[in-house]
Amino acid sequence: MATAVCGALVGLALYASSLCAVSGATFLYHDYCVIGAGPAGLQAAYFLQRAGRDYVVFERSHAPGSFFALYPRHRKLISINKQYTGKSNSEFNLRHDWNSLLSHDRRLLFRRYSRDFFPNADAMVRYLEDFASLLKLQIQYNTAIIHVTLEKNEQAWNGHYFILTDQDRKTYKCSCLLVAAGTWVPNVVNFPGSEYVEGYETVSTNPEDFAGQTVLILGRGNSAFETAENILGVTNFIHMVSRSRVRLSWATHYVGDLRAINNGLLDTYQLKSLDGLLEGDLEDLAIVKDKKGKLHITLRFYLENRNISAGIDSITLPQDELDNFATRAPYDRVIRCLGWKFDFSIYNRSLRMMPGKGNIKKYPQIKPSYESRGTRGLFVLGTASHSVDFRKSAGGFIHGFRYTTRAVHRLLENRHHGVPWPSTVYPITQLTNSIIKRVNEASGLYQMFSVLADIILLRENATAFEYLEEYPTGILAELEMQTGRKACSGLFVIIMEYGRNFSGADKDVFYYNRAVGEAQHAWQSNFLHPVIYYYKRLPTEHEMRLRPPDWPLPRPDAIHHIVEDFLTDWTAPNAHILPLRRFLENCLSTDLRNFFAESCFLFAFTHQKLPPSCQQGYMRMQGLVGSQELRHHAVQAGLLQNYTHTDFLGDRPPDSHDGSQEQLMRDHGIPVRPLQHLVNAKDEL
């Protein structure tokens, strides 16, 4: 009996171990898993590969960028592709290249794939395919992730592993999950008769299919106006209905609002050419189809307690009570163009991937660090991360999220691999120049205005500073933890901002005297311009939460606006550089000017504290060497007597530079002591 029990136990143990072996074989492990090989997924893969990390990208299609293979339906992108800027600076040129991803390969600039200002979407498909293949990114195609859950494990980076299952029931285990799947599920509004509505994703793109028809379009975004633009010349008329008013991108400064390339229907509406715009809640509508196939628009409450199947004759229409009802004419077709939302269906409840609230309900809830609010180690990249800056900046588009993806990568490098945020240390004398260079060239600051910022960390006694580029402003309070850098002696934060009251759907941004040109009124600048915040210490989480409405940062100890510039070229000595330098000097209580050696020599005898340029240059024997020109300046300044050339040089030619100022003084019997000794002697007096 005992032998039998023992044998049974051994058998169970062997069976369990075989299950573990099988289970272990089916879980394919990677440190990083990326869902989606669209632009954001490829951008994340690039940074992971350059860092030598273990990663894989899962793509449900057979090629990258599958979204662009179908959308936009009429194939014209609204992201600009500016070929010429008049400058050769590659970083500056990215400000006006809205399609290229970041890489070291100069072949992978989008201008090599299209010369059109608004390119065809097919060019984007080719570009993304080449980006993946030329850089040899690790992408697993034809793999649709259908379920994601968690496996608790104290040894894991974040206290759990992510378990992914594909359509073939293969499972994958990851320590960190990067979701770059975009927003691709069409927004649908259900109302009585919505079964008669055609979706933007399937409607015909051949204008001839609409010849002589009357069309109603539901929606008011670029996809709706793009559809209208395609059929504008062949339809009887087009009506467009949406809950909100039309928002023009030039008024809101938001690239996701209606772009000029698609706004032809606004002309035909305002120039009395039959087309028109209406405002109304789509959920209040109802559509009734008559015997001839015509679609009649009515309101939901007219259908309550009525038998729709009895036919249209038994249904009260709005025009029966109001004979000038706007949509009383029947329509041949109704098209839904309401955009897309994030696919929440594949994420297990354990991940707590919840939709946002209000206007951002189509996006998952994430922190300003782009990490999920519900699950540590899960980051959302690309279009789906747009809730951080929705209707504020460009984070939902390639020219914005290529920089936020890089920021997330830097956060992960510090958290998981101990690689601090990249930085450069400069002497304090280079502070003004460093800021001027960045605000005139940096593309990340320019595109992700108010969202990404350059951080300047001051060293003790403000003798030097450490420069960090494009850090998310929303997690400024966490800077030391997130970057591995210390902010002990104060900091400057450099961001780009529009005027606070300048943009808006109902604003006239073309009003007279809209621009500010004088430095003393820089704080009233309307157009995009640099703003420098100075903090004596790092702001706290509490201060971040209590910051004023629409402010990207808490109230600083000092703030400086660089006046807006028509050319976005902030290099004017008097209007831009001088006020900035004086602001920095006031914050640091120091003199940031650069001085010639003779001025430093004079300061050494007349001032208790030398300017930093003298301390870091002249006092370290890095000043200008003695020469005839320098001696002439010294004589004019009253620092040296006016000896003749022959007194100094004897038979040497007057243009010889062999004799230093020190040697000249020795030749005339003047005792020479190191300059530092002179300074010390002065201090003793």
Side-chain angles (χ1 to χ4, degrees):
M1 181 68 177
T3 304
V5 171
C6 184
L9 290 174
V10 171
L12 286 172
L14 292 174
Y15 176 69
S17 64
S18 66
L19 280 180
C20 291
V22 173
S23 177
T26 57
F27 279 93
L28 304 176
Y29 176 80
H30 294 279
D31 287 343
Y32 295 90
C33 288
V34 183
I35 299 180
L42 297 182
Q43 188 68 86
Y46 169 76
F47 291 123
L48 289 168
Q49 182 145 310
R50 293 282 287 179
R53 305 305 173 199
D54 173 30
Y55 78 96
V56 65
V57 181
F58 298 111
E59 169 54 44
R60 61 184 176 179
S61 182
H62 67 281
S66 58
F67 183 88
F68 291 97
L70 180 61
Y71 304 115
R73 293 298 311 283
H74 303 90
R75 310 312 291 150
K76 180 160 287 191
L77 300 175
I78 58 174
S79 50
I80 66 173
N81 178 41
K82 195 170 179 60
Q83 296 284 308
Y84 305 101
T85 64
K87 297 187 179 182
S88 59
N89 185 292
S90 58
E91 177 70 9
F92 174 86
N93 288 340
L94 277 175
R95 290 183 170 187
H96 309 287
D97 172 357
W98 291 10
N99 298 283
S100 295
L101 296 176
L102 304 178
S103 80
H104 66 283
D105 195 331
R106 302 294 297 171
R107 295 173 297 174
L108 294 172
L109 290 174
F110 194 82
R111 65 186 182 188
R112 300 179 183 273
Y113 289 79
S114 174
R115 297 184 62 84
D116 296 333
F117 190 70
F118 292 107
N120 189 283
D122 294 336
M124 176 59 72
V125 174
R126 294 195 307 272
Y127 173 76
L128 296 177
E129 288 176 348
D130 284 356
F131 192 92
S133 61
L134 291 176
L135 297 174
K136 297 180 172 57
L137 303 181
Q138 303 301 309
I139 305 174
Q140 188 169 312
Y141 295 108
N142 299 311
T143 304
I145 300 300
I146 61 173
H147 188 252
V148 182
T149 189
L150 293 180
E151 179 187 278
K152 298 290 184 180
N153 190 312
E154 294 181 357
Q155 302 301 317
W157 288 352
N158 299 290
H160 50 251
Y161 290 109
F162 296 92
I163 307 300
L164 286 65
T165 305
D166 67 13
Q167 78 277 16
D168 296 324
R169 302 299 172 184
K170 291 183 180 178
T171 52
Y172 309 86
K173 180 185 290 189
C174 318
S175 291
C176 185
L177 179 61
L178 306 179
V179 178
T183 55
W184 60 274
V185 179
N187 279 314
V188 177
V189 177
N190 292 314
F191 51 80
S194 59
E195 64 271 18
Y196 303 124
V197 176
E198 302 175 71
Y200 170 80
E201 61 277 8
T202 58
V203 71
S204 171
T205 58
N206 183 2
E208 291 304 315
D209 291 342
F210 297 85
Q213 294 185 357
T214 302
V215 178
L216 177 67
I217 296 178
L218 308 180
R220 184 123 341 141
N222 277 293
S223 60
F225 277 92
E226 164 207 333
T227 302
E229 195 79 16
N230 185 52
I231 61 177
L232 204 58
V234 299
T235 52
N236 297 331
F237 58 81
I238 301 172
H239 288 167
M240 188 177 291
V241 61
S242 179
R243 179 175 52 193
S244 61
R245 295 172 52 194
V246 64
R247 297 187 181 97
L248 303 171
S249 60
W250 66 61
T252 62
H253 301 296
Y254 175 59
V255 298
D257 284 333
L258 178 59
R259 306 291 297 283
I261 190 175
N262 289 329
N263 68 8
L265 188 134
L266 297 183
D267 268 3
T268 57
Y269 170 40
Q270 293 293 340
L271 299 178
K272 53 188 184 302
S273 294
L274 298 180
D275 302 318
L277 304 180
L278 297 164
E279 284 78 39
D281 195 330
L282 300 184
E283 294 182 350
D284 293 336
L285 296 182
I287 298 178
V288 179
K289 191 173 185 179
D290 66 17
K291 296 177 181 179
K292 296 181 180 180
K294 297 287 186 178
L295 302 175
H296 296 261
I297 305 302
T298 183
L299 301 178
R300 182 192 290 263
F301 74 84
Y302 281 111
L303 303 184
E304 293 176 356
N305 301 320
R306 296 181 184 273
N307 184 7
I308 301 178
S309 62
I312 190 172
D313 294 335
S314 66
I315 299 174
T316 301
L317 298 177
Q319 53 265 36
D320 296 334
E321 299 179 355
L322 183 65
D323 58 5
N324 68 337
F325 182 66
T327 57
R328 61 186 180 274
Y331 297 94
D332 294 294
R333 306 175 81 156
V334 179
I335 306 172
R336 168 182 43 78
C337 302
L338 300 175
W340 301 268
K341 60 184 178 181
F342 184 77
D343 181 13
F344 292 91
S345 64
I346 68 172
Y347 301 95
N348 187 274
R349 293 179 61 183
S350 61
L351 276 76
R352 292 176 290 179
M353 283 278 281
M354 302 297 293
K357 298 178 181 179
N359 291 334
I360 58 173
K361 63 182 179 182
K362 61 182 177 180
Y363 303 115
Q365 292 185 14
I366 57 175
K367 302 175 184 177
S369 62
Y370 301 91
E371 188 171 21
S372 170
R373 291 192 178 276
T375 305
R376 181 176 170 84
L378 192 161
F379 288 80
V380 179
L381 308 176
T383 300
S385 70
H386 195 29
S387 60
V388 171
D389 63 312
F390 182 63
R391 304 196 59 77
K392 296 177 182 177
S393 196
F397 313 91
I398 292 176
H399 63 289
F401 64 62
R402 59 191 177 192
Y403 304 105
T404 59
T405 300
R406 179 166 61 186
V408 169
H409 172 70
R410 289 170 172 172
L411 295 175
L412 293 173
E413 284 290 293
N414 178 65
R415 178 192 289 187
H416 296 152
H417 309 289
V419 179
W421 192 283
S423 68
T424 309
V425 178
Y426 298 99
I428 201 67
T429 53
Q430 296 300 316
L431 182 58
T432 307
N433 290 341
S434 297
I435 295 175
I436 290 295
K437 177 179 173 62
R438 285 289 295 171
V439 300
N440 280 287
E441 295 180 1
S443 56
L445 289 182
Y446 192 84
Q447 298 295 6
M448 291 304 297
F449 53 88
S450 298
V451 177
L452 296 182
D454 281 4
I455 310 294
I456 293 175
L457 304 178
L458 297 171
R459 294 290 177 88
E460 188 176 0
N461 298 324
T463 57
F465 63 92
E466 192 171 10
Y467 205 107
L468 284 65
E469 298 179 359
E470 295 166 14
Y471 179 79
T473 58
I475 53 172
L476 180 62
E478 306 170 21
L479 183 137
E480 293 186 338
M481 178 187 68
Q482 297 280 15
T483 66
R485 307 294 180 181
K486 296 299 181 182
C488 302
S489 303
L491 65 155
F492 291 98
V493 180
I494 298 96
I495 62 175
M496 307 286 277
E497 292 183 11
Y498 279 100
R500 302 220 185 276
N501 300 313
F502 181 49
S503 60
D506 57 348
K507 300 284 187 179
D508 176 15
V509 295
F510 298 110
Y511 66 88
Y512 190 68
N513 285 337
R514 60 189 174 271
V516 174
E518 298 181 357
Q520 60 265 37
H521 303 304
W523 62 278
Q524 295 178 312
S525 295
N526 282 320
F527 202 70
L528 194 66
H529 63 285
V531 184
I532 296 89
Y533 292 72
Y534 171 63
Y535 298 95
K536 294 180 181 178
R537 56 169 179 76
L538 193 65
T540 64
E541 286 280 4
H542 181 70
E543 290 170 334
M544 287 293 292
R545 288 194 299 269
L546 295 181
R547 65 185 184 270
D550 298 327
W551 277 56
L553 295 167
R555 292 190 183 277
D557 294 291
I559 189 170
H560 177 72
H561 292 252
I562 300 180
V563 68
E564 61 184 324
D565 187 77
F566 186 69
L567 301 176
T568 62
D569 180 10
W570 293 279
T571 57
N574 293 325
H576 302 137
I577 299 177
L578 179 59
L580 171 63
R581 178 176 62 79
R582 287 177 173 169
F583 166 75
L584 299 173
E585 290 175 339
N586 288 334
C587 293
L588 302 178
S589 299
T590 191
D591 191 333
L592 295 178
R593 291 177 293 177
N594 291 308
F595 293 96
F596 288 104
E598 62 266 30
S599 298
C600 292
F601 186 73
L602 179 60
F603 282 138
F605 287 96
T606 59
H607 290 71
Q608 290 288 336
K609 181 181 178 181
L610 292 179
S613 67
C614 294
Q615 294 177 351
Q616 298 174 0
Y618 184 72
M619 298 301 293
R620 296 178 180 176
M621 306 301 292
Q622 296 174 355
L624 299 177
V625 298
S627 66
Q628 282 290 354
E629 184 177 2
L630 182 60
R631 189 195 65 79
H632 178 68
H633 286 307
V635 169
Q636 288 185 329
L639 299 177
L640 293 176
Q641 296 183 26
N642 188 14
Y643 294 104
T644 62
H645 291 310
T646 55
D647 289 336
F648 275 101
L649 304 175
D651 296 333
R652 285 176 293 184
D655 60 345
S656 173
H657 289 207
D658 293 338
S660 66
Q661 182 173 324
E662 183 177 310
Q663 183 61 46
L664 294 176
M665 295 174 71
R666 287 198 182 97
D667 291 344
H668 285 77
I670 302 174
V672 177
R673 299 172 65 190
L675 184 57
Q676 186 61 48
H677 291 178
L678 294 175
V679 175
N680 293 338
K682 174 181 69 67
D683 292 340
E684 293 172 3
L685 295 176

